[in-house]
Amino acid sequence: MAEIEVARLRTALQDRYPRVDVVERTGSTNADLRKAVEEGVADRTVLLAEEQTAGVGRRARTWSSPKGAGLYLSVALRPGVPFAVLGSLSVVAGLAVRAAAASVGVDAVLKWPNDVLVDGAKCAGILAEAVAGTEPSIVLGVGLNVLPLGDVQPGPGGLPATSLAEHGATNTDRTDVAVALLTEFDELEKRWRLAGGDLTEAGLLGDYRAHCATLGQDVEVQLPDGTSLTGRAADIDAAGQLQVDMAGGQRHTVFAGDVVHVRPA
């Protein structure tokens, strides 16, 4: 399988990102860029890896990153928006991944808060990690399966893994897919940044709602404190939070949690 062509990638993205690097192997691109942010790396620096040996998803779960099968990338951002809205960047990234899939003929949907699905199977995951410092900074990681992974165990909620190739992608050249993804993310993130991190002001909330398979589903939300709640996923707010209507009639706002679709999308 062909390696990512760094020269072609840099040429295509030179007006969008100040630095784009590709490494053969690393533990985690997110971990590498978190350290780089602390050391003062430029805003919108991009790092891709052919293989990750310690790729992670939310809540430190393992993300399978076999050599040459997917895009494993992170972007370091100092967007100049309030710290409280940094989490909504996952919505922006989800829309960019969905658009990249659409560009190669694959119809993907979004599962709140950070998964991208095709026919009920997971083809991508997103991890946004805030970095402490004098200005709000965030490292955004994306793992997108382009080619089949082989034998990978289902993730949380029992979602099997899949890839763009397994759903008839018209182009599985990872350099081309990376250009499509990072170009789309650049355009959407600039709108989000200009709007101060407000998804409505950026014109992105309606798009996310339209492509979010979680909305309208009966869901079980596993919260960070170990408790859970069940209800109907009713809406996404301007900060990217999930609104869940409970059986008693009250609406609960969920900032972070793992969502299981009781009736799979």
Side-chain angles (χ1 to χ4, degrees):
M1 58 190 70
E3 292 191 345
I4 294 171
E5 298 176 44
V6 64
R8 181 154 63 93
L9 193 64
R10 285 173 173 164
T11 297
L13 300 172
Q14 62 185 349
D15 296 329
R16 300 178 183 275
Y17 299 94
R19 180 175 173 182
V20 178
D21 291 325
V22 180
V23 297
E24 187 69 22
R25 194 170 189 253
T26 191
S28 161
T29 57
N30 257 37
D32 292 348
L33 278 193
R34 283 202 317 271
K35 181 179 179 183
V37 166
E38 292 168 357
E39 295 170 351
V41 75
D43 177 34
R44 301 172 71 80
T45 291
V46 180
L47 177 64
L48 300 92
E50 287 286 354
E51 178 184 14
Q52 290 184 130
T53 58
V56 296
R58 291 182 64 253
R59 299 172 76 173
R61 295 192 179 99
T62 299
W63 176 267
S64 181
S65 312
K67 184 175 181 178
L71 293 178
Y72 319 121
L73 65 89
S74 298
V75 186
L77 299 154
R78 293 188 178 88
V81 304
F83 184 85
V85 300
L86 285 179
S88 65
L89 196 58
S90 291
V91 166
V92 180
L95 287 170
V97 174
R98 196 210 69 80
S103 75
V104 295
V106 177
D107 186 18
V109 297
L110 305 170
K111 175 178 175 287
W112 191 90
N114 65 335
D115 293 339
V116 183
L117 311 181
V118 184
D119 291 342
K122 182 173 176 175
C123 73
I126 295 158
L127 178 64
E129 296 183 289
V131 182
T134 55
E135 59 179 322
S137 302
I138 191 164
V139 172
L140 181 85
V142 175
L144 171 60
N145 303 329
V146 179
L147 299 169
L149 301 183
D151 185 23
V152 175
Q153 294 302 308
L159 290 174
T162 192
S163 65
L164 298 180
E166 291 169 86
H167 293 274
T170 56
N171 184 357
T172 56
D173 180 303
R174 290 181 303 129
T175 305
D176 288 343
V177 178
V179 168
L181 171 56
L182 286 165
T183 296
E184 188 70 24
F185 178 73
D186 166 67
E187 294 175 356
L188 297 179
E189 193 272 344
K190 283 176 179 172
R191 287 167 55 185
W192 172 85
R193 183 181 294 217
L194 190 62
D198 186 301
L199 294 171
T200 305
E201 184 73 19
L204 300 177
L205 186 56
D207 288 347
Y208 189 84
R209 285 169 170 157
H211 297 293
C212 182
T214 304
L215 294 181
Q217 293 283 327
D218 293 327
V219 296
E220 178 184 347
V221 185
Q222 297 157 359
L223 301 173
D225 65 2
T227 64
S228 65
L229 61 87
T230 57
R232 176 68 57 86
D235 202 2
I236 305 291
D237 69 15
Q241 300 172 123
L242 181 66
Q243 307 285 313
V244 179
D245 286 345
M246 313 288 285
Q250 70 272 35
R251 177 165 288 191
H252 190 96
T253 299
V254 181
F255 174 72
D258 290 325
V259 170
V260 176
H261 292 176
V262 178
R263 295 178 290 106

